[in-house]
């Protein structure tokens, strides 16, 4: 039930990524205005992850999940009645609250799952990221839903076109909230019940928590950013229709979401750090290829003539395949990052998971403007992937330096047990 709720909330959180195109046409928004609609939703879906996770630890994930579903349903429904940019911007911000359910679900699932299965359990829950593709797939399966219902009114107050989507989502939110009340155990488990707030926040002083946060910004923040950025990237650079762009983007979203259980399973058996090495390696390779701009080298010879060499032109199919591989790496890596948390901080999953999730979400807020500014500065659309290559490189170097430091500080005979959690008081 937590996975179903998270999938739905994720769909609501990122619905402006694909609905932005018809919204922009109807409300006559500029590109920057449209970008801010998505950005404020992502921002509000990140800011409250820390307190939401702590609250789930103290009062239980069940009641917090139900409350968040019902609270999100209100502004979601009102989006259907927004007729000005200011109103839409405010409601998009409020709807973005849906994104904070992630840290609640992490705390809730960790409380009910034994340590040896937490990687897989959190991976299954995190697969709810696939909600990012729900709106896109609805347009793929029903390509005429926007045009066929535009201008129509149902039941006297429900408008057609893009406004139909937030109404359907709001009904679904209330329905899932009721199902959780009926189907999940009334007596919940609360890892942080009665624990002082200061004690819950104590682990945040450790450097490793912030290192995990940066990892998550690379594997999840970049995922959120690309989920919203890729449809326009396909349309602008490969001259495809919005329908095809939505379908191509789904080939990135699905592996980046559905492979989280696989990443959790690998992390349970191989160790999270080994899986992170694989993740960063694949991400560096794929973004390194994707960041290369189309073109060729022009050589000026001494006799005055020129020649062209090493022509590079990445077509839409090879591009989509490489982006698919990038999504696979992100999906596995997201689970590996969160496998660390219950191992190192079993009594503070809500607060630590909330902070890590907050920074991951903020990565989804910060990265799209970086994509736009680097494109404006360089003139290359592929600079999007240079930003991701640089971020991934920083994470990989930091992680490897940490591993080398641990090797130096410990005797060689424990090298194979480097995944073993250290005492909570350690600050490495």
């Amino acid at each position: 039930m937590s996975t179903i709720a998270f999938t739905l909330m994720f769909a609501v959180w990122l619905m402006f990524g694909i609905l932005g195109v018809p919204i922009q046409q109807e409300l006559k928004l500029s590109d920057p205005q449209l970008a801010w609609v998505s950005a404020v939703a992502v921002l509000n879906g990140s800011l409250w992850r820390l307190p939401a996770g702590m609250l789930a630890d103290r009062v239980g994930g069940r009641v917090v999940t139900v409350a968040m579903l019902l609270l999100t349903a209100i502004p979601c429904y009102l989006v259907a009645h927004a007729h000005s940019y200011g109103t839409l911007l405010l409601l998009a911000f409020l709807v973005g609250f849906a994104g904070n359910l992630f840290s609640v679900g992490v705390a809730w699932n960790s409380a009910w799952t034994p340590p040896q299965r937490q990687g897989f359990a959190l991976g299954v829950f995190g697969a709810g990221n696939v909600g990012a593709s729900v709106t896109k797939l609805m347009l793929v399966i029903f390509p005429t839903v926007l045009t066929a219902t535009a201008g129509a009114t149902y039941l006297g107050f429900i408008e057609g076109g893009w406004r139909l989507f937030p109404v359907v989502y709001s009904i679904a939110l209330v329905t899932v909230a009721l199902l959780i009340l009926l189907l999940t155990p009334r007596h919940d488990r609360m890892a942080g019940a009665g624990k002082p707030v200061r004690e819950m926040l104590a682990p945040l002083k450790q450097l490793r928590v912030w290192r995990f946060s940066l990892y998550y910004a690379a594997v999840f923040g970049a995922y959120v950013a690309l989920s919203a950025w890729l449809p326009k990237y396909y349309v602008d650079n490969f001259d495809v229709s919005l329908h095809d762009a939505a379908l191509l983007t789904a080939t990135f979203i699905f592996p980046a979401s559905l492979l989280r259980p696989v990443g959790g399973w690998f992390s349970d058996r191989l160790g999270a750090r080994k899986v992170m090495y694989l993740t960063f390696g694949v991400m560096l390779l794929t973004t390194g290829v994707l960041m290369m701009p189309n073109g060729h080298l022009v050589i000026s010879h001494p006799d005055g003539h020129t020649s062209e060499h090493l022509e590079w032109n990445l077509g839409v199919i090879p591009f989509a395949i490489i982006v698919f591989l990038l999504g696979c790496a992100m999906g596995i890596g997201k689970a590996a990052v969160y496998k660390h948390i219950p191992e190192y901080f079993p009594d503070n999953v809500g607060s630590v998971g909330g902070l890590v999730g907050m920074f991951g979400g903020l990565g989804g807020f910060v990265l799209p403007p970086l994509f736009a500014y680097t494109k404006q500065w360089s003139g290359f659309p592929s600079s999007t992937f240079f930003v991701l290559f640089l971020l991934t490189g920083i994470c990989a170097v930091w992680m490897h330096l940490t591993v080398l430091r641990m090797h130096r500080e410990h005797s060689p005979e424990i090298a194979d047990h480097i995944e073993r959690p250290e005492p909570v008081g350690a600050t490495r």
Side-chain angles (χ1 to χ4, degrees), residues 208 211 273-274 277 344 398-420 422 428:
R208 64 158 53 101
R211 179 161 49 87
R273 189 169 286 112
K274 293 178 181 177
Y277 267 115
Y344 285 99
W398 193 1
M399 183 179 73
H400 189 60
L401 290 177
T402 300
V403 172
L404 292 179
R405 182 181 175 186
M406 295 175 74
H407 274 282
R408 288 194 302 268
E409 293 181 355
H410 298 280
S411 54
E413 58 267 24
I414 70 163
D416 292 335
H417 304 284
I418 201 167
E419 293 291 335
R420 182 179 298 164
E422 294 186 2
R428 185 176 302 108

Side-chain angles (χ1 to χ4, degrees), residues 355-374:
L355 181 73
V356 173
M358 181 182 73
F359 269 82
L362 289 176
F365 171 72
V366 172
L367 285 172
L370 286 179
F371 295 163
Y373 287 128
T374 52

Side-chain angles (χ1 to χ4, degrees), residues 6-76:
F6 180 49
T7 303
L8 176 60
M9 291 283 264
F10 212 90
V12 172
W13 187 33
L14 297 184
M15 68 177 175
F16 296 105
I18 195 70
L19 293 183
V21 175
I23 289 175
Q24 183 179 30
Q25 294 172 351
E26 179 180 326
L27 299 185
K28 296 180 173 55
L29 305 181
S30 65
D31 285 344
Q33 287 177 320
L34 179 61
W36 276 110
V37 170
S38 295
V40 296
V42 172
L43 177 63
N44 196 33
S46 309
L47 291 177
W48 308 104
R49 290 190 171 196
L50 174 57
M54 294 173 61
L55 189 63
D57 268 347
R58 290 179 70 90
V59 303
R62 178 176 182 265
V63 64
V64 179
T65 298
V66 170
M68 290 183 65
L69 286 164
L70 296 176
L71 287 174
T72 304
I74 299 171
C76 184

Side-chain angles (χ1 to χ4, degrees), residues 342-364:
E343 284 190 343
Y344 285 99
F345 309 99
D347 297 324
N348 295 282
V349 174
S351 57
V352 176
L355 181 73
V356 173
M358 181 182 73
F359 269 82
L362 289 176

Side-chain angles (χ1 to χ4, degrees), residues 61-393:
R62 178 176 182 265
V63 64
V64 179
T65 298
V66 170
M68 290 183 65
L69 286 164
L70 296 176
L71 287 174
T72 304
I74 299 171
C76 184
Y77 172 77
L78 294 176
V79 166
H81 300 278
H83 294 278
S84 68
Y85 172 64
T87 302
L88 180 66
L89 194 66
L90 174 61
L91 291 174
F93 178 80
L94 296 177
V95 165
F97 183 68
N100 296 290
L101 186 67
F102 176 71
S103 56
V104 175
V106 168
W108 194 16
N109 281 276
S110 296
W112 282 92
T113 311
Q116 65 272 18
R117 298 282 291 169
Q118 284 176 339
F120 180 71
L122 295 180
V124 172
F125 167 73
N129 287 163
V130 76
S133 66
V134 170
T135 309
K136 298 176 179 66
L137 285 180
M138 289 175 69
L139 292 180
V140 171
I141 298 172
F142 307 105
T144 60
V145 65
L146 293 178
T147 55
T149 61
T153 302
Y154 303 92
L155 302 178
F157 63 94
I158 301 175
E159 298 182 53
W162 67 265
R163 298 177 185 275
L164 197 59
F165 284 82
V167 174
V168 172
Y169 279 144
S170 62
I171 295 172
L173 289 167
V174 174
T175 302
V176 171
L178 295 176
L179 287 175
I180 289 177
L181 287 175
L182 293 173
L183 300 178
T184 59
R186 295 188 63 182
H187 179 70
D188 211 349
R189 296 181 180 178
M190 295 156 276
K195 185 181 296 184
V197 174
R198 179 178 298 180
E199 184 178 341
M200 297 179 73
L201 293 175
L204 305 189
K205 298 178 182 178
Q206 300 188 34
L207 184 59
R208 64 158 53 101
V209 175
W210 300 91
R211 179 161 49 87
F212 295 159
S213 298
L214 185 63
Y215 295 170
Y216 204 60
V219 294
F220 175 75
Y223 160 76
V224 172
L226 285 179
S227 296
W229 189 260
L230 277 175
K232 186 172 178 60
Y233 192 98
Y234 276 116
V235 170
D236 291 347
N237 297 287
F238 296 104
D239 195 27
V240 300
S241 66
L242 181 61
H243 171 273
D244 292 342
L247 184 59
L248 289 167
T249 302
T251 64
F252 163 76
I253 291 174
F254 269 91
S257 305
L258 298 182
L259 286 180
R260 282 188 82 145
V262 177
W265 184 83
F266 279 136
S267 299
D268 284 338
R269 283 153 181 77
L270 303 177
R273 189 169 286 112
K274 293 178 181 177
V275 177
M276 289 307 302
Y277 267 115
L278 175 64
T279 295
F280 290 148
V282 175
M283 288 182 65
L284 286 171
L285 179 62
T286 52
T287 55
V289 174
L290 292 170
M291 73 180 184
M292 296 171 61
N294 291 339
H296 54 264
L297 295 177
V298 178
I299 305 298
S300 297
H301 296 273
D303 60 3
H305 83 279
T306 61
S307 59
E308 299 176 356
H309 304 271
L310 301 176
E311 181 178 356
W312 173 261
N313 187 7
L314 195 62
V316 62
I317 299 302
F319 178 89
I321 292 173
I322 298 173
V323 169
F324 169 82
L325 295 175
L326 176 62
C328 291
M330 288 180 172
I332 291 173
K334 284 185 286 188
V337 173
Y338 265 84
K339 171 62 177 177
H340 287 91
I341 296 172
E343 284 190 343
Y344 285 99
F345 309 99
D347 297 324
N348 295 282
V349 174
S351 57
V352 176
L355 181 73
V356 173
M358 181 182 73
F359 269 82
L362 289 176
F365 171 72
V366 172
L367 285 172
L370 286 179
F371 295 163
Y373 287 128
T374 52
K375 177 185 176 182
Q376 182 179 358
W377 172 74
S378 67
F380 298 127
S382 58
S383 61
T384 290
F385 298 97
F386 171 75
V387 174
L388 299 184
F389 179 85
L390 187 61
L391 175 60
T392 304

